[in-house]
Amino acid sequence: MKKLKLFAGTAALIMSAALLFSCNGQMSVDAEASVEDSARYTQNWELWDALDYYDTGKFNKADWTNGGMFNCGWKPDHVYFNNGKMTIKLDNQYSHGKPYTSGEYRTNNTFSYGTFETNMKAAKGDGLVTSFFLYTGSPWDEIDVEILGKNTWQVQLNYYVNGVANNEKIINLGFDASQGFHRYAIEYGNGWINWFIDGKWVYGVNNTGFNAPYGKQMPSHPMQIMCNLWPGTGVDSWLNHYWHNGNKYAEYDYIKYTPMR
């Protein structure tokens, strides 16, 4: 990861380097999540979870709906653990006023600057998003890794600052993300972000002019680590239309956080 240091500016800043709000935000709009935002603890030590079981001391499962473009409710029983992996299932069960049900898994704590990583296998199919992302709540900062089911040979990277996105970048993977596990990592620092896939740097931005205008605002708040799988509605131009033709699954092998040294 030494290459990262080429992308964050000069001297002390030389450290390891759209769609609109209506098209790809991960924001939770439920009242319960909003109340939690101010009470979350910021963890500054390492996190490693092999996802062998549901560790309630570290994580929680959603039981609501985000609404908007998310055409599913989240239910805890749609996140489960087996054979050393976590699976999120999407099916056509009606929940929370939505025609489909899926799962969302997220940390109890927030985490500041550092490296965030998972090993995951995405779901394939029009209208689907498999995600690994960082999210604040309020104020709304976010950093995304999203596999769009319409083309699982690509990954969409994105970030939000105060609810504003339009920072999307599509990366060709060179493999089908739905056919095997691959490592996706976000390195998040003061004024910069880098993304890695299978240990290789693929994209970065900073506020000193690298892939973004000089002085551009970057995410700056501690964030939760989040995973979910969902079908879109009203965003066919982005995801294509979702037609339910059987259950869909996203799998995660581990979740890791290493704080900035």
Side-chain angles (χ1 to χ4, degrees):
M1 291 192 177
K2 293 180 180 178
K3 181 181 289 188
L4 298 182
K5 298 186 178 180
L6 300 176
F7 302 107
T10 60
L13 290 179
I14 297 180
M15 301 172 71
S16 32
L19 299 169
L20 300 175
F21 163 79
S22 62
C23 292
N24 67 343
Q26 296 280 1
M27 181 172 66
S28 295
V29 297
D30 56 281
E32 181 179 351
S34 298
V35 170
E36 290 175 355
D37 288 340
S38 61
R40 294 190 186 110
Y41 181 79
T42 300
Q43 180 172 325
N44 57 11
W45 62 90
E46 292 186 1
L47 169 73
W48 165 261
D49 196 295
L51 300 178
D52 293 327
Y53 64 95
Y54 178 24
D55 187 341
T56 58
K58 298 176 182 176
F59 293 91
N60 65 81
K61 302 178 182 182
D63 191 2
W64 52 74
T65 181
N66 288 49
M69 80 193 94
F70 296 82
N71 203 22
C72 65
W74 311 121
K75 296 295 289 183
D77 64 357
H78 281 58
V79 179
Y80 57 90
F81 300 82
N82 191 34
N83 295 325
K85 294 179 176 59
M86 179 180 77
T87 299
I88 300 178
K89 178 177 73 172
L90 167 66
D91 62 21
N92 61 349
Q93 180 184 141
Y94 186 88
S95 67
H96 297 292
K98 297 289 186 174
Y100 306 108
T101 298
S102 189
E104 181 176 83
Y105 199 61
R106 62 186 195 174
T107 56
N108 298 323
N109 292 343
T110 60
F111 301 82
S112 192
Y113 301 136
T115 301
F116 304 79
E117 181 175 296
T118 193
N119 193 32
M120 74 177 181
K121 182 165 70 172
K124 181 186 285 289
D126 284 347
L128 294 175
V129 178
T130 302
S131 74
F132 173 69
F133 64 106
L134 314 179
Y135 170 67
T136 54
S138 179
W140 178 11
D141 283 0
E142 181 176 334
I143 305 174
D144 297 332
V145 172
E146 296 174 315
I147 307 293
L148 310 187
K150 69 179 184 181
N151 184 353
T152 51
W153 288 80
Q154 297 180 329
V155 61
Q156 179 175 287
L157 312 175
N158 197 9
Y159 63 96
Y160 286 69
V161 179
N162 294 324
V164 178
N166 303 324
N167 302 303
E168 296 81 6
K169 178 67 175 180
I170 299 293
I171 300 293
N172 292 317
L173 294 169
F175 56 81
D176 185 341
S178 71
Q179 295 303 301
F181 285 88
H182 293 273
R183 292 178 290 124
Y184 303 86
I186 299 165
E187 190 183 46
Y188 167 43
N190 184 8
W192 51 268
I193 310 165
N194 290 302
W195 287 266
F196 296 81
I197 298 173
D198 290 332
K200 179 182 176 181
W201 181 91
V202 295
Y203 188 66
V205 296
N206 68 33
N207 59 9
T208 60
F210 184 71
N211 286 331
Y214 185 89
K216 182 175 175 65
Q217 220 176 346
M218 295 284 160
S220 59
H221 296 88
M223 293 190 262
Q224 287 175 282
I225 305 170
M226 312 274 286
C227 304
N228 61 25
L229 167 65
W230 53 278
T233 181
V235 287
D236 290 5
S237 62
W238 175 36
L239 302 179
N240 291 345
H241 189 75
Y242 179 72
W243 300 99
H244 188 77
N245 59 356
N247 297 343
K248 301 293 184 180
Y249 303 89
E251 296 180 82
Y252 299 79
D253 187 40
Y254 65 80
I255 292 173
K256 179 181 179 181
Y257 163 71
T258 306
M260 193 69 61
R261 302 302 186 189

